[in-house]
Amino acid sequence: MDKLLALKMFVETVRCGGYSSAARKLGISTSSVTRQVAGLENELGASLLNRTTRNTSVTVAGQTYFEKAVAILDAIDQADAVVADRGIEAQGRLRISVPVEFGRRIIAPHLGRLLARHPGLEISMSLSDQVSDLLSEQIDVSVRLGSSVVSEDIVSKRVGAFQRWVVASPDYLSRHAAPSHPRDLLELQCLRFDYGGSHHHWTFQGEEETIPLNVHGRLQSNNADILREAAIAGGGVALLADWLVRDDVAAGRLIRLLEHYEVNPGSASSCINALYLPNHRGSSRINVFIDFLEEILAPDRLDNR
């Protein structure tokens, strides 16, 4: 028995819910799938599947074996990808994690061009505003805004930069005086991004002073577009990325405030970084994706988006 082939057929049978469906997906006969799975059960001395005339389900032992088999097959695929990924042309699947709105608005519109350039490349894009664990989540590249990981375990590559703008709607400013100094924000409702901590510092860097403010407000969210919508609706003052609100400011839905200050939450920077594991250095897939990011994040491209 070809053990690797038997594992593949068993895994597909579980995923597809039956021999016939697995056979159709694999492009082989049902009898071949049945024979391989039966041979695997004979070798193990245990039943992996429950069979009735109507359906096929996995046994308790089969479920445990299935999970281990999936891990083995994934590890083999990764090993193959590592070797193939050192060639001139990018090949295989690239798993990326990007912030939700940044992925939707900035990256997604250009993915078609990236895939057209590299016919052997597959993209699996996960949207999350949380920091990804590259190893446990099997992420090849994580794009992060405003923070970089200084660690021997992570490679951080700067691929672009952005600004954060303090904005509010005309409606809100008709009911509250527009701030002329950062400390005026202490009297206003500030719409805050939820970083998971109890403090919400906005740091204003001027020509002659640095002003950290612990702002307050009744709304916070871990999604930037929620804050944007709330700001447009007159809910308060928000600190949001320029790429997210540039169109709203141009259309008059939002007004930019305190323009002469560089503003960031806490000690965060305005860098856009691509993070990956050290063992992926030299990866063709990662290299073409980083080149792609640097292209679409060029200042003239973002300003004219």
Side-chain angles (χ1 to χ4, degrees):
M1 179 182 63
D2 184 331
K3 189 68 169 284
L4 182 58
L5 179 62
L7 284 178
K8 289 180 178 178
M9 293 190 180
F10 167 65
V11 165
E12 288 303 329
T13 299
V14 174
R15 285 175 170 166
C16 296
Y19 296 118
S20 298
S21 298
R24 284 194 297 271
K25 183 173 180 179
L26 294 168
I28 57 178
S29 67
T30 302
S31 60
S32 295
V33 177
T34 305
R35 185 168 58 253
Q36 288 289 340
V37 175
L40 194 58
E41 290 178 316
N42 289 335
E43 181 179 290
L44 294 170
S47 296
L48 300 176
L49 298 172
N50 296 310
R51 307 167 181 83
T52 68
T53 56
R54 293 190 174 184
N55 58 39
T56 301
S57 61
V58 65
T59 65
V60 174
Q63 180 62 39
T64 301
Y65 196 73
F66 169 78
E67 293 170 1
K68 298 293 185 182
V70 169
I72 290 169
L73 294 175
D74 284 346
I76 292 173
D77 287 342
Q78 289 177 28
D80 290 344
V82 167
V83 175
D85 197 28
R86 293 302 187 271
I88 296 176
E89 179 53 53
Q91 299 282 341
R93 175 172 295 181
L94 180 69
R95 298 175 177 88
I96 60 176
S97 174
V98 299
V100 177
E101 293 304 321
F102 187 78
R104 290 181 59 248
R105 294 168 182 263
I106 304 300
I107 295 182
H110 304 283
L111 284 177
R113 187 167 73 254
L114 175 65
L115 293 171
R117 288 177 183 172
H118 304 282
L121 183 66
E122 298 178 29
I123 297 290
S124 176
M125 188 168 81
S126 172
L127 300 178
S128 174
D129 288 326
Q130 306 304 312
V131 177
S132 301
D133 184 319
L134 301 180
L135 187 60
S136 66
E137 297 178 41
Q138 297 184 322
I139 299 295
D140 296 313
V141 183
S142 176
V143 179
R144 293 296 106 188
L145 308 183
S147 62
S148 179
V149 177
V150 180
S151 167
E152 294 181 355
D153 300 326
I154 301 291
V155 178
S156 179
K157 167 71 172 174
R158 185 182 183 278
V159 293
F162 67 106
Q163 293 181 321
R164 293 182 176 91
W165 290 357
V166 179
V167 295
S169 71
D171 174 63
Y172 186 79
L173 295 175
S174 71
R175 294 179 280 113
H176 303 83
S180 58
H181 188 277
R183 291 190 182 89
D184 294 338
L185 294 174
L186 297 177
E187 306 300 322
L188 301 176
Q189 285 289 322
C190 292
L191 309 171
R192 303 162 298 153
F193 193 90
D194 185 2
Y195 292 96
S198 57
H199 297 289
H200 297 270
H201 288 97
W202 291 357
T203 302
F204 291 78
Q205 181 65 57
E207 292 183 2
E208 300 179 353
E209 59 180 343
T210 300
I211 306 170
L213 292 178
N214 189 20
V215 297
H216 301 276
R218 292 185 295 135
L219 175 65
Q220 60 182 334
S221 175
N222 65 352
N223 180 267
D225 202 46
I226 295 293
L227 303 180
R228 169 184 163 271
E229 292 285 355
I232 292 173
V237 180
L239 177 61
L240 297 169
D242 55 352
W243 52 262
L244 180 61
V245 296
R246 187 182 300 277
D247 291 346
D248 297 313
V249 170
R253 291 185 291 270
L254 292 172
I255 296 173
R256 186 181 178 188
L257 308 170
L258 302 169
E259 296 185 28
H260 299 299
Y261 292 88
E262 180 182 346
V263 196
N264 286 304
S267 59
S269 74
S270 297
C271 293
I272 304 172
N273 301 289
L275 311 179
Y276 59 93
L277 296 175
N279 63 331
H280 284 160
R281 282 192 176 98
S283 161
S284 299
R285 292 172 300 140
I286 290 177
N287 287 342
V288 299
F289 184 66
I290 287 178
D291 289 345
F292 161 75
L293 288 176
E294 291 177 330
E295 176 188 326
I296 66 173
L297 297 177
D300 59 331
R301 294 292 294 271
L302 281 180
D303 291 344
N304 298 317
R305 181 178 58 86

mmCIF file of all heavy atoms in Angstrom, residues 17-18 50-57:
data_model
loop_
_atom_site.group_PDB
_atom_site.id
_atom_site.type_symbol
_atom_site.label_atom_id
_atom_site.label_comp_id
_atom_site.label_asym_id
_atom_site.label_seq_id
_atom_site.Cartn_x
_atom_site.Cartn_y
_atom_site.Cartn_z
ATOM 1 N N GLY A 17 -17.256 13.740 2.666
ATOM 2 C CA GLY A 17 -18.387 13.038 3.242
ATOM 3 C C GLY A 17 -18.752 11.734 2.569
ATOM 4 O O GLY A 17 -19.862 11.226 2.762
ATOM 5 N N GLY A 18 -17.868 11.164 1.791
ATOM 6 C CA GLY A 18 -18.163 9.884 1.157
ATOM 7 C C GLY A 18 -17.137 9.514 0.103
ATOM 8 O O GLY A 18 -16.381 10.356 -0.392
ATOM 9 N N ASN A 50 -17.470 5.108 9.596
ATOM 10 C CA ASN A 50 -18.739 4.405 9.734
ATOM 11 C C ASN A 50 -19.429 4.434 8.388
ATOM 12 O O ASN A 50 -19.573 5.500 7.785
ATOM 13 C CB ASN A 50 -19.631 5.087 10.778
ATOM 14 C CG ASN A 50 -19.031 5.039 12.171
ATOM 15 O OD1 ASN A 50 -18.627 3.983 12.627
ATOM 16 N ND2 ASN A 50 -18.981 6.188 12.841
ATOM 17 N N ARG A 51 -19.881 3.284 7.908
ATOM 18 C CA ARG A 51 -20.487 3.210 6.589
ATOM 19 C C ARG A 51 -21.925 2.732 6.692
ATOM 20 O O ARG A 51 -22.213 1.745 7.354
ATOM 21 C CB ARG A 51 -19.707 2.264 5.696
ATOM 22 C CG ARG A 51 -18.211 2.580 5.608
ATOM 23 C CD ARG A 51 -17.457 1.402 4.970
ATOM 24 N NE ARG A 51 -16.036 1.644 4.876
ATOM 25 C CZ ARG A 51 -15.169 1.456 5.851
ATOM 26 N NH1 ARG A 51 -15.602 1.038 7.042
ATOM 27 N NH2 ARG A 51 -13.879 1.685 5.682
ATOM 28 N N THR A 52 -22.821 3.444 6.052
ATOM 29 C CA THR A 52 -24.198 2.979 5.889
ATOM 30 C C THR A 52 -24.528 3.071 4.410
ATOM 31 O O THR A 52 -23.719 3.552 3.605
ATOM 32 C CB THR A 52 -25.186 3.847 6.701
ATOM 33 O OG1 THR A 52 -25.239 5.161 6.122
ATOM 34 C CG2 THR A 52 -24.749 3.962 8.165
ATOM 35 N N THR A 53 -25.704 2.642 4.059
ATOM 36 C CA THR A 53 -26.093 2.707 2.641
ATOM 37 C C THR A 53 -26.291 4.136 2.171
ATOM 38 O O THR A 53 -26.244 4.423 0.976
ATOM 39 C CB THR A 53 -27.402 1.920 2.419
ATOM 40 O OG1 THR A 53 -28.407 2.427 3.297
ATOM 41 C CG2 THR A 53 -27.180 0.434 2.704
ATOM 42 N N ARG A 54 -26.498 5.060 3.129
ATOM 43 C CA ARG A 54 -26.793 6.442 2.752
ATOM 44 C C ARG A 54 -25.631 7.410 2.944
ATOM 45 O O ARG A 54 -25.517 8.386 2.213
ATOM 46 C CB ARG A 54 -27.997 6.945 3.546
ATOM 47 C CG ARG A 54 -29.290 6.234 3.165
ATOM 48 C CD ARG A 54 -30.479 6.925 3.788
ATOM 49 N NE ARG A 54 -31.743 6.352 3.332
ATOM 50 C CZ ARG A 54 -32.933 6.809 3.666
ATOM 51 N NH1 ARG A 54 -33.023 7.857 4.488
ATOM 52 N NH2 ARG A 54 -34.032 6.243 3.212
ATOM 53 N N ASN A 55 -24.802 7.173 3.959
ATOM 54 C CA ASN A 55 -23.716 8.119 4.181
ATOM 55 C C ASN A 55 -22.502 7.460 4.823
ATOM 56 O O ASN A 55 -22.556 6.289 5.216
ATOM 57 C CB ASN A 55 -24.181 9.313 5.029
ATOM 58 C CG ASN A 55 -24.738 8.871 6.374
ATOM 59 O OD1 ASN A 55 -24.223 7.963 7.009
ATOM 60 N ND2 ASN A 55 -25.802 9.541 6.815
ATOM 61 N N THR A 56 -21.454 8.227 4.898
ATOM 62 C CA THR A 56 -20.200 7.795 5.511
ATOM 63 C C THR A 56 -19.791 8.850 6.526
ATOM 64 O O THR A 56 -19.766 10.047 6.212
ATOM 65 C CB THR A 56 -19.090 7.654 4.447
ATOM 66 O OG1 THR A 56 -19.502 6.698 3.468
ATOM 67 C CG2 THR A 56 -17.788 7.202 5.085
ATOM 68 N N SER A 57 -19.474 8.437 7.742
ATOM 69 C CA SER A 57 -19.049 9.373 8.783
ATOM 70 C C SER A 57 -17.775 8.856 9.433
ATOM 71 O O SER A 57 -17.442 7.669 9.345
ATOM 72 C CB SER A 57 -20.155 9.561 9.830
ATOM 73 O OG SER A 57 -20.447 8.321 10.468
#
